[in-house]
Amino acid sequence: MNGGALLQGALAGLASGGLYAVLAVTLTLMSRLVRVVNFAQAATGMFAAFSAVWFASELGLPTWLATIIGILVGALLSGIIGWVAATWLSEATVTLRSAMTVAPLLMLISLSFILFGNKPQPFAPILSGPAFSVAGVVVSWVTVVMVLLAIVVAVACSILLRRTTVGTKLRALSERPTTAELIGIAAKPLSIGVWAVTGAISAITIMVIAPSQSNDAISLSMLIIPAAAAALLGGFKRLDLAVVGGLALGVISGIVAQIPAVSFVRNFIPFLFIVILLLWSQRKEVWDAAR
Amino acid sequence: MKKRIAGLAAMTAVAALALTGCAGGDGGGDGAPIKIGSVNTLSGPATFPEASAAAQAVFDRANADGGVNGHMIEYNTVDDKGDPASATAAARELVGSDEVVALVGGASLIECEINQDYYAQEGVYSMPGIGVDTGCFNTENIAPVNIGPFNDMTLTLLNGSENLGLDDICVLLEIAGSTQPAYMAGVERWTEITGKEPLFVDDTVPYGGSDYTPYIVKAKEAGCKAIAVNGIEPDAIGQVKAAQAQGWDDVTFLFLTSVYSENFAAALDWTGGGVHVPAEFYPFTEDNEINEDWKSLMEENDIALTSFSQGGYLAATYFLEVLEGMDGDITRESVAEALQSMEPIENPMVAAPYQFQKVAAQDFEPGAWPVVLKSGTGAWEKSAEDWLMIPAG
């Protein structure tokens, strides 16, 4: 096993790393701004992407139009879940609000089986082909776009939160919801807006990645697991670390696949990642105090 | 909540018992129906609905023609949800309470391995339309109509090395459950026949993974000319797409029958050097008289044209032929007897004749028809003019 092969593995894992990073950024945003860990994040994107395929193949719409409709479907679906959370669970704990999102996750998977069947979808690639090669590994356009998208989304969100009025309102809402409402910030539209935007981002992400990998409902929806592991690196609070976590997770998976001795762990990588992070974050806890 | 569910379950069970009327099988008196069942994976992550639907269509047609020697056929299809507990329950429902005479035409992800001991204990014989797990191929009570994924592995390698003249074939295995030794035996059998070895075997490829790029890169780097993979449809699509993204234009894919479908062909525009598959039944993607009866029956009943519906159709057809040759009462014992002593049945849709005992013992020459999906065609075509057989070793 030489360094070259490891580098190739690392590059090969970048595409999924970018994907995990984008999803991790959206998860972190949701957790910060609307106090929820949205388990249905990837499923929303999956359903939106499948709708786009349906509009393109069944109704014969051009790809660009179907893509736009797909993004709108993603925003709408996510907005509906957000509306449920804002209407009935506005005062509930993070745990309860997060648990609620398991229902739409399962519902979207079942619904996509019913509407679109359980076979992979014939996605027309929005982006395809190699961008350039490094060390004999082709880096595809999908990889480039994914990594850039992760960084752009993270940077854009942090500028939005720090530099704009909307961002200030959002931060106020997430930190002191009652106080913010009392001084006249409209909580419900704002939080539903956050849900809708993250839904749209998920839809874009899944549509970019789906043509170049397994794209049945289950595997796309379950991308939430590595994404959550990545978001954990930033403690569901820091966007920059969420990006780093996503990219690192992808790169590690890519490297592990190249080393026969350890490749059996590749299915548990997100899990191991979570366990190690939890142990590390609790390293200073004294047993009694942590109980 | 838990209590309520338990209560509901109990009520459902009572209702089910009442509805089935606890009919003790009095064993084929005059005009009594012949009860046949099948355990299938109809819901869950991977589903095989076509096999039992096809068997149902064959039995319905037989009933419409007056049944078998004056007996109507009652065919009961049960879903195991791909879940071990449900599979166990499904077998007991059919064998224990329905008292079926045999199990015919099913397709399940897990059922054989879980229920084979129970079937042996109850003396019931099973003729799956498509046997998937290892348990379908290692017991004398179960004889699937298809040759199975392990023979398929040998055949796809034979097709690659002998028909296509490829060397440097790499084997990538997705292992679910305890299938690894069986697949490896399939690879070793190819080595015995041809004296050729795979360039490497990687049995750590994830089942239902999302991005296969790392595995594809590894194979490309190792200098593989072809990769033989046992992935199901979504995984195989992922692997082809990963190779496309890597610009690996000259790779040949050697897949198994599970990807031989119209849907797969529609999903892939680019297939590198081609996707080659040994089709376990006569290729259905081209019109010909061999598949005519099956095809028209499937279209009449709105059943998808897949290898699975071919398997279900064949199982039911064979079974009817065995029933028609029986004299006297049709009971579980007499059906078992008839299956044990049946004459081999020939059918142009398969390479080898079907004889229950021989198939259960895997003591026959399996064969398949090579087909190819070339880049940009979006349609399967035959790549050979005859069955490709595994020589008796």
Side-chain angles (χ1 to χ4, degrees):
Chain A
M1 190 48 51
N2 56 19
L6 293 186
L7 174 68
Q8 286 176 341
L11 286 172
L14 263 185
S16 15
L19 168 71
Y20 304 156
V22 182
L23 289 173
V25 166
T26 57
L27 282 174
T28 305
L29 270 182
M30 304 282 281
S31 142
R32 263 176 68 173
L33 301 178
V34 289
R35 294 185 305 115
V36 74
V37 175
N38 181 9
F39 289 109
Q41 193 77 56
T44 312
M46 174 276 294
F47 197 87
F50 278 23
S51 314
V53 170
W54 187 84
F55 280 110
S57 61
E58 298 293 319
L59 303 186
L61 298 181
T63 307
W64 62 269
L65 188 60
T67 307
I68 290 170
I69 294 177
I71 296 169
L72 292 177
V73 169
L76 181 72
L77 277 175
S78 199
I80 293 171
I81 305 171
W83 178 81
V84 170
T87 307
W88 288 298
L89 298 170
S90 59
E91 296 296 319
T93 58
V94 178
T95 319
L96 193 64
R97 287 162 67 91
S98 304
M100 180 274 290
T101 62
V102 175
L105 161 71
L106 297 175
M107 189 194 78
L108 288 171
I109 292 177
S110 308
L111 203 59
S112 88
F113 280 164
I114 294 165
L115 295 178
F116 310 114
N118 61 349
K119 293 278 194 285
Q121 298 292 316
F123 277 92
I126 303 172
L127 299 159
S128 64
F132 53 89
S133 335
V134 181
V137 183
V138 176
V139 177
S140 62
W141 277 114
V142 171
T143 307
V144 175
V145 168
M146 272 295 142
V147 175
L148 285 177
L149 191 64
I151 294 166
V152 167
V153 169
V155 169
C157 289
S158 71
I159 290 174
L160 179 95
L161 289 178
R162 280 165 205 281
R163 303 286 161 89
T164 64
T165 325
V166 174
T168 316
K169 285 182 180 175
L170 284 169
R171 285 191 0 240
L173 263 180
S174 68
E175 279 160 30
R176 295 279 167 84
T178 321
T179 318
E181 282 206 71
L182 288 172
I183 60 168
I185 295 174
K188 205 165 163 182
L190 272 177
S191 65
I192 292 176
V194 172
W195 280 84
V197 169
T198 53
I201 295 172
S202 303
I204 295 170
T205 315
I206 300 284
M207 277 189 246
V208 171
I209 200 89
S212 61
Q213 64 172 31
S214 303
N215 51 32
D216 55 309
I218 298 273
S219 32
L220 290 177
S221 301
M222 287 306 143
L223 288 168
I224 195 71
I225 295 168
L232 194 63
L233 184 67
F236 282 94
K237 288 203 168 48
R238 287 187 52 182
L239 294 171
D240 53 349
L241 284 180
V243 174
V244 172
L247 295 177
L249 198 56
V251 167
I252 293 170
S253 309
I255 290 177
V256 164
Q258 308 300 313
I259 310 171
V262 292
S263 59
F264 66 90
V265 302
R266 46 116 240 279
N267 277 338
F268 320 120
I269 287 173
F271 173 71
L272 290 172
F273 201 79
I274 292 171
V275 170
I276 290 166
L277 283 175
L278 286 176
L279 288 172
W280 176 252
S281 65
Q282 301 291 310
R283 70 195 178 284
K284 293 206 177 87
E285 296 290 347
V286 186
W287 178 258
D288 282 351
R291 299 312 303 150
Chain B
M1 188 70 200
K2 273 218 170 107
K3 266 199 174 138
R4 268 189 54 197
I5 293 178
L8 281 173
M11 276 171 56
T12 322
V14 169
L17 276 175
L19 288 172
T20 51
C22 299
D26 52 1
D30 272 345
I34 301 171
K35 292 186 172 175
I36 304 171
S38 69
V39 179
N40 303 272
T41 306
L42 303 176
S43 56
T47 58
F48 313 127
E50 303 100 357
S52 51
Q56 180 81 58
V58 173
F59 292 138
D60 285 351
R61 185 169 64 177
N63 285 343
D65 295 345
V68 179
N69 308 340
H71 298 278
M72 286 294 152
I73 291 173
E74 265 182 37
Y75 185 55
N76 187 2
T77 302
V78 185
D79 183 9
D80 68 18
K81 306 182 181 75
D83 160 57
S86 308
T88 309
R92 275 147 187 83
E93 176 187 335
L94 291 168
V95 177
S97 58
D98 281 6
E99 304 204 329
V100 296
V101 296
L103 297 149
V104 178
S108 160
L109 201 56
I110 50 165
E111 186 260 338
C112 297
E113 195 163 5
I114 287 166
N115 294 322
Q116 54 173 292
D117 292 349
Y118 176 65
Y119 294 154
Q121 168 201 315
E122 297 294 320
V124 69
Y125 280 60
S126 170
M127 195 195 274
I130 299 283
V132 180
D133 67 79
T134 39
C136 303
F137 303 94
N138 62 8
T139 169
E140 59 180 28
N141 277 54
I142 305 178
V145 173
N146 67 322
I147 58 172
F150 315 109
N151 283 323
D152 227 356
M153 194 75 210
T154 310
L155 280 164
T156 203
L157 287 166
L158 274 177
N159 186 27
S161 69
E162 309 309 296
N163 288 357
L164 308 171
L166 297 162
D167 44 13
D168 295 337
I169 299 175
C170 299
V171 178
L172 306 183
L173 295 177
E174 298 184 4
I175 300 301
S178 54
T179 53
Q180 199 264 1
Y183 278 117
M184 284 314 293
V187 176
E188 278 152 24
R189 194 164 175 189
W190 167 71
T191 302
E192 271 166 39
I193 296 165
T194 61
K196 293 170 183 165
E197 299 260 350
L199 191 62
F200 75 76
V201 178
D202 181 353
D203 59 7
T204 66
V205 181
Y207 191 86
S210 54
D211 186 9
Y212 287 99
T213 307
Y215 302 89
I216 294 294
V217 167
K218 184 177 169 185
K220 187 182 171 191
E221 278 314 295
C224 310
K225 293 277 180 303
I227 52 171
V229 200
N230 65 331
I232 51 170
E233 219 171 274
D235 298 12
I237 290 176
Q239 287 145 8
V240 174
K241 293 194 162 171
Q244 181 184 10
Q246 287 298 316
W248 192 7
D249 292 332
D250 55 352
V251 62
T252 304
F253 300 94
L254 304 172
F255 289 149
L256 308 189
T257 307
S258 49
V259 307
Y260 176 50
S261 76
E262 302 276 5
N263 184 65
F264 184 85
L268 288 176
D269 193 33
W270 178 99
T271 56
V275 170
H276 288 265
V277 169
E280 296 193 28
F281 305 109
Y282 190 84
F284 57 82
T285 38
E286 293 171 36
D287 276 336
N288 57 63
E289 70 285 358
I290 290 181
N291 279 325
E292 202 172 340
D293 179 59
W294 162 76
K295 199 168 174 176
S296 63
L297 188 65
M298 293 306 109
E299 281 168 353
E300 239 166 77
N301 291 281
D302 235 356
I303 301 166
L305 302 177
T306 65
S307 302
F308 283 91
S309 57
Q310 285 178 302
Y313 163 91
L314 281 168
T317 311
Y318 293 161
F319 192 72
L320 281 181
E321 193 166 325
V322 171
L323 283 182
E324 275 157 6
M326 287 171 65
D327 304 324
D329 283 352
I330 293 178
T331 62
R332 190 176 295 174
E333 292 72 26
S334 66
V335 167
E337 177 64 33
L339 284 172
Q340 279 290 10
S341 59
M342 72 185 272
E343 290 296 312
I345 300 177
E346 295 264 0
N347 189 310
M349 281 170 73
V350 278
Y354 182 92
Q355 192 179 6
F356 195 95
Q357 254 184 314
K358 291 258 190 211
V359 174
Q362 290 292 296
D363 169 23
F364 69 107
E365 282 192 18
W369 200 294
V371 290
V372 62
L373 175 63
K374 290 186 184 143
S375 257
T377 56
W380 293 95
E381 46 199 272
K382 281 193 238 171
S383 64
E385 280 319 300
D386 199 359
W387 297 100
L388 171 69
M389 307 296 287
I390 298 182

